[in-house]
Amino acid sequence: MKKLIALLIAAMALVGCSSAPAKPSETPAGTAGTTGGAAKEVNVGVSIYKFDDNFMTLYRNEIQSYFDSLSNDQVKYNVTIQDGKNDQAEQTNQIDNFIAQDYDVLIINLVQSTSAATVIEKCKEANKPCIFINREPSEEDMNMYRDADGKATDPYADMYTYVGADARQSGKFQGEIIADLENKGDLNGDGVLQYVMVVGDPENVDAKYRTEFSISQYKESSGLGVEKLDEQRGDWDQAKGQEIVANALTKYGDKVEVVFCNNDGMALGAAQAIAAANRTVGKDIYLVGVDALAEAVELVSTGGMTGTVLNDHIGQSHQAVDAAIKAVNGEKLDTYYWVDYVKVTPANAAEFK
Ligand code: BGC
């Protein structure tokens, strides 16, 4: 009996009885399975600027599930998603670790878009492809290894990319949604739109573009003038959106005709403040956001918001994953991959539920 047990133990040791998943460092870069028929393992390192963000939570979950849906007998995608905690030092550390552990490809939602150049240099040095998402690096950084004609001056030019949506378009759509109203949003009929602007975190150029293009497009489409009553930074955050709009309504009261929010998170906060001030969207005030979060689409269809703009996290995450796989397979990447925004109003809200 003792002999049998000893034999069993020896056999188990030989086969290896640990069921713990192999660490990426143990299955290096695109290594095909060592034993016949094993799937090729691809290790993907993802860092999100912070987990505590409504939109980026949908986005990162979709990255994971899309990779999962693409894993099969031939290839297995091991996806590690880390929380940058809105701290660039923390995120840089995560990137260093992904590189040190020989991950095959990185997908990075920068904390500070100005850190792009440093990240690109690190990845270039390690020869790791890098897909930037959501926070667009400067044009200069995206073209670091290209000449004035766009020709690559280094092979790394084709190994990194930005996947995103052109935030100018989302701003323009917000402006159009208001300009398309029968009264063009001009509730008091004075030919001027009195508005409040709730701005996102300026680390994302989306905040700048939405702030700018919503108004320029409104003026162009409506032919009316505008008067900015207030513009405050709400950092994409619902609680801040609520506070800013509550204060603006206390200060400017009925003068406020439209509240523009750079995203739906802040617009949901604004909707709460509007209700608390006994104002009614669609009757004595208008409210627009961006993202088409489920709660916002619901409000649009029941009249609690005038409109929103779909920020297509599914299209963007799939495009980012497709680009990552392309790069792992040694194919050249374009410098940019763009995904369109879509206007959401009561007329089509049902399609987005
Ligand atoms: C989204 C925001 C989000 C931000 C994060 C924007 O594109 O509209 O909801 O908070 O990205 O960087």
Side-chain angles (χ1 to χ4, degrees), residues 63 72 138 152 218 248 337:
I63 289 180
N72 55 35
S138 70
Y218 173 79
Y337 293 94

Side-chain angles (χ1 to χ4, degrees), residues 49 53-56 109-110 134-135 201 203-204 206 210 235-237 262-265 290-291 293 311 316 341:
Y49 92 101
D53 177 295
N54 295 346
F55 175 74
M56 287 315 300
N109 171 210
L110 288 165
N134 177 257
R135 295 191 157 188
D201 174 357
E203 265 310 326
N204 186 334
D206 293 2
R210 289 175 191 162
D235 290 333
W236 310 118
D237 182 78
N262 283 175
N263 79 342
D264 280 347
V290 175
D291 282 340
L293 296 182
N311 190 1
Q316 290 174 68
Y341 285 101

Side-chain angles (χ1 to χ4, degrees), residues 106-327:
L106 273 55
I107 298 180
I108 304 297
N109 171 210
L110 288 165
V111 173
Q112 283 168 359
S113 19
T114 46
S115 296
T118 316
V119 176
I120 294 166
E121 303 268 19
K122 281 177 189 286
C123 292
K124 175 178 180 284
E125 185 118 324
N127 203 35
K128 298 293 177 195
C130 179
I131 319 296
F132 291 107
I133 56 168
N134 177 257
R135 295 191 157 188
E136 188 184 338
S138 70
E139 239 180 271
E140 199 189 332
D141 291 343
M142 288 312 297
N143 289 289
M144 266 166 80
Y145 301 112
R146 293 192 187 276
D147 64 17
D149 301 323
K151 251 189 79 191
T153 54
D154 186 285
Y156 195 72
D158 301 320
M159 284 178 65
Y160 73 102
T161 185
Y162 173 70
V163 175
D166 179 1
R168 298 175 189 89
Q169 188 187 38
S170 54
K172 287 181 186 174
F173 283 169
Q174 286 188 303
E176 283 175 5
I177 290 172
I178 300 301
D180 284 349
L181 295 169
E182 220 175 293
N183 62 2
K184 302 179 179 180
D186 183 19
L187 284 158
N188 60 15
D190 67 350
V192 178
L193 189 80
Q194 279 83 18
Y195 72 94
V196 171
M197 181 69 70
V198 188
V199 183
D201 174 357
E203 265 310 326
N204 186 334
V205 77
D206 293 2
K208 175 174 175 275
Y209 285 150
R210 289 175 191 162
T211 300
E212 205 175 305
F213 283 84
S214 54
I215 299 307
S216 58
Q217 185 64 45
Y218 173 79
K219 288 198 279 191
E220 196 184 315
S221 300
S222 69
L224 300 186
V226 294
E227 183 190 352
K228 178 166 72 186
L229 298 174
D230 204 357
E231 180 178 311
Q232 300 284 340
R233 183 177 152 177
D235 290 333
W236 310 118
D237 182 78
Q238 179 163 349
K240 288 188 189 172
Q242 178 175 11
E243 195 186 322
I244 290 166
V245 175
N247 289 341
L249 291 176
T250 305
K251 196 159 169 201
Y252 301 102
D254 290 348
K255 268 196 104 180
V256 182
E257 295 174 314
V258 178
V259 178
F260 289 93
C261 294
N262 283 175
N263 79 342
D264 280 347
M266 299 186 295
L268 293 174
Q272 292 169 311
I274 287 169
N278 286 321
R279 302 279 294 271
T280 310
V281 172
K283 213 174 118 216
D284 56 29
I285 195 163
Y286 298 103
L287 169 65
V288 280
V290 175
D291 282 340
L293 296 182
E295 303 93 306
V297 174
E298 187 57 35
L299 284 182
V300 172
S301 56
T302 56
M305 270 175 73
T306 311
T308 183
V309 179
L310 171 72
N311 190 1
D312 184 3
H313 70 273
I314 296 182
Q316 290 174 68
S317 54
H318 290 200
Q319 183 61 74
V321 169
D322 290 344
I325 293 174
K326 244 181 142 172

